[in-house]
Amino acid sequence: MAVVSAPHTATPDALLRQDPEMAEVILGETRRQADSLQLIAAENFTSPAVLAALGSPLANKYAEGYPGHRYHGGCELVDAAERIAIARAKALFGAGHANVQSHSGSSAVLAAYAALLRPGDTVLAMGLPYGGHLTHGAPVNFSGRWFDFVGYGVDAGTGLIDYPQVRALAREHRPKAVVCGSISYPRHIDYAAFRQIAEDVGAYLIADAAHPIGLVAGGAAPNPVPYADVVCATTHKVLRGPRGGMILCGEELAERVDRAVFPFTQGGAQMHTIAAKAVAFGEAAAPAFTVYAHQVVANARALAKALAAEGLRITTDGTDTHLITADPAPLGVDGRTARGRLAAAGVVLDTCALPYVEGRGLRLGTAAVTTQGMSEAEMARIALLFTSALRGGAETARRVRAEVRELVGRFPPYGKLS
Ligand SMILES: Cc1ncc(COP(=O)(O)O)c(C=O)c1O
């Protein structure tokens, strides 16, 4: 029996015939995503076109190097795919150069550091207790092992980035690079202020825009590209592409960035993912994506307000983005217990560290529910379901579970699933 017959073998039916065990897992996960409320701030539903590119025979192709300069034969068409992805990324974000090969957001940050820094250099980034990412100096991560990180925080009263503190720390520690970006900061970042701080001490500015980059594409958040030397991003959050990373910079750093990705930190490019990134960039350039990005923010604002009205403490008293962080303590429940109760009711989200709060808080986002077509009215309903579930009790969980199922059933991400 031929292993490969035609591209259309990459369908659920083919998988079902050949490997029912794995097909069952994939179909089960597909149902889980559609049957519960996806409030994980870093997730979204990619389009069928993105999924088609991901499941295409481009997955078979080895392509070390860059378009026109590959170590493998037969790269003419994947070269075309990568050139399209690069051109679309540059146009979408107004960047002089784009590298679309990073396998993930973390790989993109690793490559940015490799391009600009040497082991032992000092880097100033948001401290992990305030919302810094693992790659911003966590001791368990390469960043904390190989660089000397200094952490800045947020103001204890407002929860906003303490720019005077960032400036003071920069002057004191003279970092080689300043990193701005976070896993949980719900407000816009003042890239111009960070640029000034970096310039003041002769440091590079690296923007880790993993979270807001999709809002940037849709014109709903400020663009770091004009301010940062290097911008790192993921392609799978609000941007709604495949799981992966990307780096944007000016032409003057293009070669250093490219060489930091390949051959320094990665091998062969994942051409199916790069094609899928190109599809997502194309979608993000369409007017409908601008509407989407603004609705994501409107939904997050509405949800934050409704959750606050139900008694949750919302960090910074609201949001400018897709992302909300909340302390459920006023409802008498800690973050971990809250996540468990919400999960039992079909509401899926993360816990996260909250500045100046002991224990874990909750992090949620509106990218996925907005892709499903929900708007402010549904956010008000979600807030009520959310707080009912938080108050606990098996009977309440069952009732909320049924209501969640009814709600998401009206907004199927990929049409009706059998
Ligand atoms: C600020 C920031 N940087 C980097 C990353 C890493 O992305 P990935 O999980 O794709 O490695 C994330 C992921 O959420 C992030 O929020």
Side-chain angles (χ1 to χ4, degrees):
M1 191 180 89
V3 176
V4 173
S5 51
H8 67 261
T9 52
T11 63
D13 280 354
L15 190 60
L16 206 49
R17 274 198 306 278
Q18 185 187 312
D19 191 338
E21 188 182 8
M22 185 51 73
E24 200 42 56
V25 173
I26 293 173
L27 287 173
E29 170 60 12
T30 309
R31 278 192 209 101
R32 185 198 67 80
Q33 291 181 14
D35 189 44
S36 45
L37 204 45
Q38 306 307 324
L39 294 180
I40 289 184
E43 291 185 0
N44 208 334
F45 293 104
T46 61
S47 69
V50 167
L51 291 178
L54 275 177
S56 73
L58 270 69
N60 301 330
K61 189 70 196 93
Y62 233 117
E64 283 181 344
Y66 289 99
H69 306 278
R70 302 283 190 187
Y71 291 79
H72 302 277
C75 285
E76 297 76 15
L77 290 167
V78 292
D79 277 4
E82 187 163 344
R83 285 194 178 105
I84 292 169
I86 291 168
R88 289 184 184 173
K90 284 168 63 177
L92 194 56
F93 300 105
H97 180 69
N99 185 304
V100 294
Q101 290 196 6
S102 293
H103 297 328
S104 70
S106 300
S107 312
V109 178
L110 170 60
Y113 295 167
L116 303 178
L117 308 174
R118 290 290 167 270
D121 280 347
T122 300
V123 184
L124 179 60
M126 183 175 266
L128 267 64
Y130 305 99
H133 184 252
L134 287 170
T135 54
H136 302 170
V140 292
N141 184 261
F142 75 91
S143 55
R145 183 90 61 85
W146 294 345
F147 302 102
D148 184 11
F149 269 83
V150 177
Y152 58 83
V154 295
D155 182 87
T158 62
L160 301 175
I161 291 175
D162 185 347
Y163 290 95
Q165 186 213 24
V166 181
R167 181 181 296 280
L169 287 170
R171 287 186 175 161
E172 182 186 344
H173 295 279
R174 316 295 300 180
K176 184 88 175 285
V178 176
V179 178
C180 56
S182 164
I183 62 168
S184 56
Y185 191 65
R187 296 294 179 173
H188 291 322
I189 286 178
D190 185 345
Y191 297 113
F194 270 106
R195 176 83 226 166
Q196 275 180 2
I197 291 167
E199 267 180 15
D200 184 42
V201 296
Y204 289 112
L205 180 61
I206 298 173
D208 183 356
H211 268 279
I213 197 73
L215 298 176
V216 175
N223 187 354
V225 167
Y227 301 99
D229 296 292
V230 174
V231 176
C232 308
T234 54
T235 48
H236 49 266
K237 297 187 172 79
V238 185
L239 190 49
R240 219 160 55 179
R243 309 199 66 76
M246 143 176 89
I247 305 180
L248 306 166
C249 62
E251 282 169 32
E252 68 290 352
L253 286 176
E255 201 184 329
R256 275 164 79 177
V257 164
D258 282 354
R259 293 189 68 76
V261 175
F262 175 86
F264 196 75
T265 57
Q266 289 187 183
Q270 302 201 346
M271 297 315 308
H272 57 311
T273 308
I274 289 174
K277 288 174 187 174
V279 173
F281 298 151
E283 291 175 355
F289 195 86
T290 301
V291 176
Y292 164 72
H294 285 85
Q295 188 62 49
V296 166
V297 176
N299 281 352
R301 287 200 166 124
L303 185 53
K305 198 170 164 200
L307 289 172
E310 289 295 310
L312 276 88
R313 197 179 63 78
I314 307 296
T315 316
T316 78
D317 286 332
T319 180
D320 295 330
T321 64
H322 61 299
L323 200 149
I324 300 162
T325 57
D327 185 1
L331 299 190
V333 60
D334 64 79
R336 281 191 208 286
T337 310
R339 190 178 76 172
R341 287 183 184 173
L342 288 161
V347 179
V348 186
L349 44 57
D350 302 318
T351 63
C352 73
L354 294 182
Y356 308 105
V357 170
E358 250 184 65
R360 309 280 291 172
L362 298 173
R363 183 185 74 154
L364 53 154
T366 52
V369 291
T370 308
T371 295
Q372 287 175 273
M374 296 189 202
S375 57
E376 286 91 335
E378 284 74 36
M379 297 307 114
R381 172 119 190 259
I382 289 172
L384 290 178
L385 294 174
F386 197 101
T387 44
S388 300
L390 280 190
R391 291 194 177 95
E395 185 45 45
T396 308
R398 260 194 301 279
R399 177 182 60 75
V400 176
R401 184 73 192 89
E403 287 193 44
V404 165
R405 204 164 260 137
E406 183 278 321
L407 173 65
V408 295
R410 289 193 282 116
F411 298 91
Y414 295 112
K416 296 278 176 209
L417 293 165
S418 57

